[in-house]
Amino acid sequence: MITAQDKIIKFANLDELKDAIVQDLSTRDVNAQRYCVRFIMLNNFATFRDLTMFLVKELNVNLFELQNLTLGADKTITIDMLSDAVKGITENSLITPFSELVRFYKESDFNGFFNEIILTEDLRNSSKRIYVPIIGLNNRFNDFLKSFGRIEESAPIWQLYSQVDDKIKVFVTKFKTPTLPENSEFCILETMRDWMNFWRKQAPRDKILCSAFPIRFGWKNSRPDSIFTFTEITNPYEYLTDFLGVHIPFEYKESENEYWERIQGAVSDTYDKVFSWKTYVETHFNIRKIDFKVILDKWAYELYTDYDRWLLKNYLLHTDQLKDKPYIKLCLTETTDYVVPATFFVNLAERIFYLVNQPGVDKFYDERKQLMSEERSLFRELVPKDRQEWLMDHIIDVAQSNDGFAIVKKLSTGTFEFEKELFFGWYQKRSEHDFGLKHLKEFYPDLHAYLNATDVSIYRPGAEWLADYFNAYRAAKVNNVYSDDVRGFIETQNASEKEFWDWYYKHNSCHDLFHEHNNDELRRPDKVYWIDGLGAEFIPYIQYLIETIQSNYEIIEVQVATTGLPSNTSLNRFVADNKFVIKFGDLDALAHGSHYKERKTLISELSTLRHIIEQILKDNSVGHHTIALVSDHGLSALSRLCEPCKLSGKAHHEGRYIPFAADIAAGSMPEYVTVNNPDDKQDYMVALTHSSLGSRPSHEVHGGCTPEEVLVPFIVITNNDASKPIKYDVEPTDLEVPLSSPVFKCVILPQPKSAHLIINGTKVSMEVNNTTWSATIPHATEGKVLVSVIPERGRQQNFEVKVFGLGLGNSIIEDFDL
């Protein structure tokens, strides 16, 4: 009995096969003459091409190309079409590319088709031959032959296998590939026609990317053969990694398919070069080194897309960029919303609360605090109000739990506005150990700066007590009480008209200082900012802001100045022409706009002042400028805590002063002083203490005589290095001088080019002898006098000098044992 293997004639080389083909044309074998189809089993395309050349060129066999039967470039040929075509051949023909079509037939169709054509007859033309090459289908074709019932009577089947099979990986996909370099091992077959021309133009290639629709639909019907191995690429990740061999260090998720398609496009654009995932992302974002600011700014940047955030996340998670940032790594891993930037910021703010009682949480606290503090503006903007309320509720819950206050300080970052009120309240209610000034400096540095002790040197000699007063006033304002310390100062220093005028006239008015500097070529400001309602209480805070806001500005002068009485805006205004004097009214509007609220009002004042100073520095960041900060009056928060006087008359500014007619007898009293304002020629009774002359105020007030109402800052700043002060050490040789020769002397180091004194508003040039500078005090009289030394380009330094008569000063008297 003849088996399938008996029917297959095997040849050692192509020449033997050629000889057999030639001999077959004149064979007398009955079956060979009866059946015209000759199957030729091969295992590589090179042999197939050589055989084709032999048949076509030497034997004049017709080349019957199946692709000519298709109805379109990406259409397949049905079994009926193929069967009819084979049966309709009338001359010797080589069918190409036969196996590249039938390998995708289903098993039943495959066997049925071969059953139909294997015994094709042409009794009128016994010498007709139809050559059917079967390439790489050894196993499948042999299985068919085993099941073929008429194997004994069929025509001969030839087989020529070389020692090495072609090995071709076919990646079947819907994705279009980039243009490949000429020397690429890959081959692109986008249509069925491309596939059927593969044997002639491009075979063999190690890898094929085939997107022809019929093959995408039917490749699963092909069984493993000796040449082709088929792999379906169902997503961009498989395309990039399995076909193109690009290394991308994270897994594919179907929900992120659109992002992978974007990467695929990027690879396609640069495929002729070496593609590096890490380099691609770094170039995309123009980054090399990552810090908190880069991560959060780019995540929040409105011009970046969800694809950009997805890229950034996976770059950070799959490089070593976050090796020292475990908290941001945790939150980034859990963030899957790339469309809404706020989601990531909410995760960063909230995630820590779910870890509070877990081991290892300590490693997250500092990192979270640092990143939220450094980028607090982004968190304030992006974390919704309802999520901020959630955070506040949870912070309060933790703070009220057993031993929770130590933890809540780790959870607090000073990022959100609600935290300011919490810190403020904790400072009020908690002990110094739990939450004192050192904690304010860490958590609420603006409030700490406000409470910072004022430099005594900004007050005139004899009025140094004002430094202690403002410390007491700020403490009383923070604690919302009319303290004994404040009451004591007012009862002493504002006990009567005499005591008030004594310290009031020790200071120059803000307008006088403004005109003095405006007439001084070296110190003349080119811009003046009038901050309505800015009192001397805020001098430490203003100094802090100038020093800490990133700018090139430096304070070159700070003085405490007075306002006119009453201390209201209309009688103390600066000319605002939008060119030289620019007014900010936000602080004053805040005071008058709503009732005073414990904590909230001061928090708003600090925020408002910060915004004003930031705006001034921003507006003057280009070019060199010298800027004066001036004010028309300060504000008092304590009058609403004191019983009012309820005097008759129409009180203004919630009772801080009362206008009266000149024909009405009114003299100064312990509750008020009487003044005649030179600008409006009006007589006023002006409150001397915090008690309102009318009813009890509900707002912050001004108009009266308390230090916080009548004392304002005069601050000059510059970003011009040529105008910035040189630091000088000024050391008086003696602070007591005789009336007979009232010469003030001091040593100034380093040596200035010039120096002068200012005494009672009079400017006096100083002379130098070696390093000692001197000048005569003009119009000297016995007693104490304030001497201000100003070296060229130096800060003003004040000294209280005693002028004594009779040639005897304290130092001389002390030499006698009296």
Side-chain angles (χ1 to χ4, degrees):
M1 180 179 178
I2 297 176
T3 65
Q5 289 301 314
D6 296 332
K7 198 66 178 179
I8 298 174
I9 303 172
K10 300 178 181 179
F11 300 97
N13 54 60
L14 183 58
D15 289 337
E16 290 183 1
L17 176 58
K18 289 178 180 179
D19 290 342
I21 291 172
V22 171
Q23 294 173 12
D24 178 66
L25 290 173
S26 58
T27 183
R28 305 305 297 173
D29 182 83
V30 174
N31 287 336
Q33 288 183 326
R34 181 180 178 184
Y35 304 117
C36 59
V37 175
R38 299 292 185 269
F39 296 111
I40 306 174
M41 300 171 63
L42 304 171
N43 69 338
N44 65 66
F45 286 96
T47 302
F48 176 44
R49 278 193 293 269
D50 291 342
L51 177 62
T52 300
M53 292 295 292
F54 167 72
L55 291 172
V56 174
K57 297 295 184 182
E58 297 187 29
L59 300 185
N60 295 318
V61 171
N62 178 56
L63 191 61
F64 189 91
E65 298 185 89
L66 292 177
Q67 57 266 40
N68 295 330
L69 299 178
T70 60
L71 300 177
D74 205 22
K75 300 292 185 180
T76 191
I77 301 170
T78 66
I79 295 175
D80 291 340
M81 292 168 63
L82 184 57
S83 179
D84 292 344
V86 173
K87 293 176 181 179
I89 294 174
T90 59
E91 57 184 332
N92 290 352
S93 299
L94 170 65
I95 298 178
T96 65
F98 182 82
S99 55
E100 306 329 303
L101 181 63
V102 299
R103 71 174 66 249
F104 302 112
Y105 288 168
K106 295 179 182 178
E107 197 68 23
S108 59
D109 292 339
F110 183 93
N111 292 334
F113 171 73
F114 279 100
N115 267 316
E116 188 169 345
I117 69 166
I118 192 171
L119 299 179
T120 301
E121 302 180 24
D122 192 347
L123 299 178
R124 296 180 181 181
N125 187 1
S126 62
S127 63
K128 184 180 76 173
R129 299 290 184 265
I130 300 175
Y131 300 104
V132 180
I134 299 175
I135 305 172
L137 293 177
N138 179 30
N139 294 335
R140 194 170 186 186
F141 188 63
N142 272 292
D143 287 346
F144 159 72
L145 293 177
K146 292 176 183 178
S147 64
F148 182 55
R150 298 171 62 185
I151 191 67
E152 294 183 3
E153 61 180 287
S154 63
I157 298 171
W158 298 321
Q159 175 181 303
L160 174 58
Y161 283 177
S162 62
Q163 292 183 351
V164 179
D165 296 334
D166 282 341
K167 295 295 183 182
I168 302 174
K169 292 182 178 180
V170 181
F171 296 90
V172 182
T173 183
K174 66 178 180 180
F175 300 112
K176 302 297 182 183
T177 195
T179 301
L180 300 176
E182 292 182 1
N183 61 347
S184 175
E185 62 177 337
F186 304 142
C187 171
I188 304 171
L189 303 177
E190 294 185 341
T191 67
M192 194 64 187
R193 185 167 294 168
D194 293 335
W195 174 264
M196 296 178 73
N197 280 324
F198 170 74
W199 70 274
R200 176 189 295 172
K201 296 182 177 181
Q202 302 188 73
R205 289 294 182 90
D206 290 342
K207 294 181 180 180
I208 296 174
L209 185 73
C210 182
S211 55
F213 178 77
I215 296 178
R216 285 166 46 200
F217 180 76
W219 73 270
K220 293 181 180 178
N221 296 324
S222 67
R223 287 167 49 184
D225 57 52
S226 60
I227 295 180
F228 292 102
T229 301
F230 289 88
T231 301
E232 183 179 22
I233 297 178
T234 59
N235 56 63
Y237 175 81
E238 293 173 352
Y239 166 76
L240 292 168
T241 57
D242 294 346
F243 174 65
L244 296 183
V246 174
H247 174 65
I248 298 182
F250 53 96
E251 65 180 11
Y252 169 82
K253 295 179 181 178
E254 187 174 356
S255 60
E256 300 172 349
N257 188 72
E258 61 179 297
Y259 306 138
W260 285 96
E261 289 180 350
R262 290 282 299 275
I263 296 181
Q264 176 194 331
V267 174
S268 298
D269 292 340
T270 59
Y271 187 68
D272 57 337
K273 304 173 184 177
V274 176
F275 180 85
S276 164
W277 152 258
K278 183 172 181 289
T279 302
Y280 164 66
V281 179
E282 290 173 348
T283 303
H284 182 84
F285 288 107
N286 191 27
I287 53 175
R288 292 296 181 272
K289 183 177 176 58
I290 297 288
D291 56 22
F292 290 134
K293 182 173 180 58
V294 170
I295 296 172
L296 299 182
D297 282 357
K298 291 192 179 299
W299 194 278
Y301 190 35
E302 61 183 7
L303 294 183
Y304 283 130
T305 65
D306 51 335
Y307 170 68
D308 298 314
R309 297 183 188 96
W310 177 79
L311 274 183
L312 181 62
K313 168 185 172 176
N314 286 292
Y315 171 80
L316 294 170
L317 292 180
H318 297 92
T319 61
D320 60 355
Q321 298 285 356
L322 298 181
K323 62 181 180 181
D324 298 323
K325 299 177 177 66
Y327 185 69
I328 203 169
K329 185 174 183 179
L330 170 66
C331 296
L332 198 58
T333 300
E334 296 176 350
T335 298
T336 57
D337 183 349
Y338 311 109
V339 176
V340 181
T343 303
F344 179 43
F345 286 81
V346 170
N347 286 349
L348 289 169
E350 294 184 357
R351 187 67 175 87
I352 194 76
F353 289 90
Y354 298 99
L355 301 168
V356 168
N357 297 317
Q358 295 185 16
V361 66
D362 285 346
K363 67 182 179 183
F364 295 135
Y365 288 129
D366 290 341
E367 181 189 343
R368 175 179 176 269
K369 180 178 293 187
Q370 181 184 353
L371 70 92
M372 292 183 68
S373 299
E374 289 182 2
E375 293 296 316
R376 55 168 51 97
S377 61
L378 286 178
F379 280 90
R380 289 173 184 170
E381 175 186 353
L382 293 175
V383 176
K385 290 298 182 184
D386 65 319
R387 303 319 302 165
Q388 292 188 33
E389 292 172 1
W390 185 94
L391 289 167
M392 180 177 68
D393 291 341
H394 280 70
I395 287 176
I396 293 173
D397 287 345
V398 174
Q400 292 175 345
S401 63
N402 293 333
D403 300 324
F405 199 68
I407 297 175
V408 87
K409 284 186 283 189
K410 298 178 182 179
L411 293 169
S412 301
T413 64
T415 299
F416 302 107
E417 288 299 311
F418 75 79
E419 288 184 279
K420 294 178 180 179
E421 191 167 359
L422 290 179
F423 302 149
F424 202 139
W426 294 341
Y427 177 73
Q428 286 178 314
K429 310 297 183 184
R430 295 273 179 169
S431 68
E432 179 70 21
H433 176 267
D434 278 347
F435 205 89
L437 273 174
K438 67 177 181 179
H439 299 100
L440 272 187
K441 187 173 184 179
E442 176 184 356
F443 293 99
Y444 193 180
D446 282 17
L447 183 57
H448 177 271
Y450 170 78
L451 288 169
N452 201 17
T454 307
D455 185 354
V456 176
S457 66
I458 67 174
Y459 300 101
R460 296 288 179 162
E464 294 90 349
W465 64 270
L466 284 165
D468 293 329
Y469 172 81
F470 275 110
N471 289 338
Y473 171 78
R474 285 188 287 266
K477 183 174 178 179
V478 164
N479 290 299
N480 199 39
V481 297
Y482 193 67
S483 67
D484 291 340
D485 288 339
V486 171
R487 180 182 291 105
F489 279 114
I490 294 299
E491 289 177 350
T492 303
Q493 304 298 338
N494 277 19
S496 69
E497 178 181 19
K498 177 181 180 301
E499 284 81 8
F500 168 72
W501 293 124
D502 179 65
W503 64 261
Y504 176 85
Y505 282 122
K506 281 184 168 65
H507 299 87
N508 294 321
S509 75
C510 197
H511 284 78
D512 287 343
L513 291 174
F514 168 69
H515 291 300
E516 177 187 324
H517 279 69
N518 200 38
N519 294 327
D520 187 330
E521 184 176 347
L522 291 176
R523 298 186 296 163
R524 179 184 300 133
D526 57 273
K527 288 189 177 181
V528 176
Y529 286 91
W530 167 17
I531 304 176
D532 193 354
L534 179 64
E537 66 171 289
F538 291 106
I539 289 177
Y541 183 55
I542 298 292
Q543 290 174 308
Y544 163 79
L545 292 175
I546 300 296
E547 292 168 1
T548 56
I549 294 173
Q550 294 298 316
S551 73
N552 193 32
Y553 277 88
E554 185 177 322
I555 297 174
I556 60 176
E557 185 168 350
V558 178
Q559 291 197 53
V560 172
T562 58
T563 70
L565 294 181
S567 52
N568 65 10
T569 298
S570 63
L571 299 176
N572 290 280
R573 66 176 59 253
F574 290 81
V575 177
D577 60 5
N578 295 323
K579 293 181 180 179
F580 187 60
V581 177
I582 301 160
K583 180 182 178 182
F584 281 97
D586 309 55
L587 189 64
D588 191 64
L590 177 65
H592 296 303
S594 60
H595 296 304
Y596 188 89
K597 298 181 179 65
E598 182 180 1
R599 295 188 293 272
K600 291 181 182 295
T601 296
L602 179 53
I603 289 171
S604 297
E605 286 178 330
L606 297 179
S607 296
T608 299
L609 275 177
R610 172 175 282 278
H611 174 74
I612 290 172
I613 298 301
E614 287 175 341
Q615 190 65 49
I616 291 172
L617 297 180
K618 179 182 177 182
D619 290 346
N620 295 280
S621 60
V622 177
H624 290 154
H625 300 284
T626 298
I627 296 170
L629 305 177
V630 300
S631 181
D632 52 346
H633 61 80
L635 296 162
S636 179
L638 301 186
S639 287
R640 60 191 182 78
L641 301 176
C642 298
E643 287 297 322
C645 299
K646 297 182 180 180
L647 301 181
S648 61
K650 186 177 180 180
H652 288 228
H653 278 62
E654 298 201 55
R656 297 310 292 158
Y657 60 89
I658 300 175
F660 67 93
D663 59 349
I664 299 177
S668 295
M669 298 290 289
E671 297 86 1
Y672 59 84
V673 296
T674 57
V675 297
N676 179 269
N677 189 277
D679 291 332
D680 66 356
K681 312 303 181 184
Q682 171 68 51
D683 292 306
Y684 294 95
M685 292 183 289
V686 184
L688 195 57
T689 69
H690 289 100
S691 293
S692 169
L693 301 182
S695 59
R696 185 195 295 266
S698 59
H699 298 75
E700 284 188 300
V701 294
H702 61 92
C705 295
T706 62
E708 64 268 25
E709 293 174 278
V710 300
L711 294 181
V712 295
F714 181 82
I715 300 175
V716 182
I717 63 175
T718 187
N719 66 346
N720 188 346
D721 290 339
S723 300
K724 289 180 179 178
I726 298 172
K727 294 181 180 179
Y728 291 101
D729 287 327
V730 180
E731 187 66 35
T733 58
D734 201 333
L735 290 176
E736 297 181 354
V737 297
L739 180 62
S740 59
S741 180
V743 178
F744 174 78
K745 296 180 181 181
C746 62
V747 175
I748 305 177
L749 295 174
Q751 188 83 299
K753 292 182 178 180
S754 64
H756 61 270
L757 300 181
I758 295 181
I759 303 171
N760 295 325
T762 302
K763 183 177 179 180
V764 181
S765 295
M766 301 187 77
E767 298 178 351
V768 63
N769 182 10
N770 293 323
T771 59
T772 301
W773 293 76
S774 63
T776 300
I777 298 174
H779 312 298
T781 59
E782 286 190 67
K784 295 179 180 179
V785 62
L786 179 69
V787 174
S788 299
V789 180
I790 306 179
E792 182 178 347
R793 292 187 57 197
R795 295 185 187 277
Q796 175 176 310
Q797 299 187 44
N798 302 326
F799 302 96
E800 187 178 74
V801 177
K802 181 177 181 180
V803 180
F804 61 89
L806 303 176
L808 297 175
N810 286 344
S811 58
I812 297 176
I813 295 173
E814 288 170 359
D815 290 337
F816 297 89
D817 188 13
L818 299 179

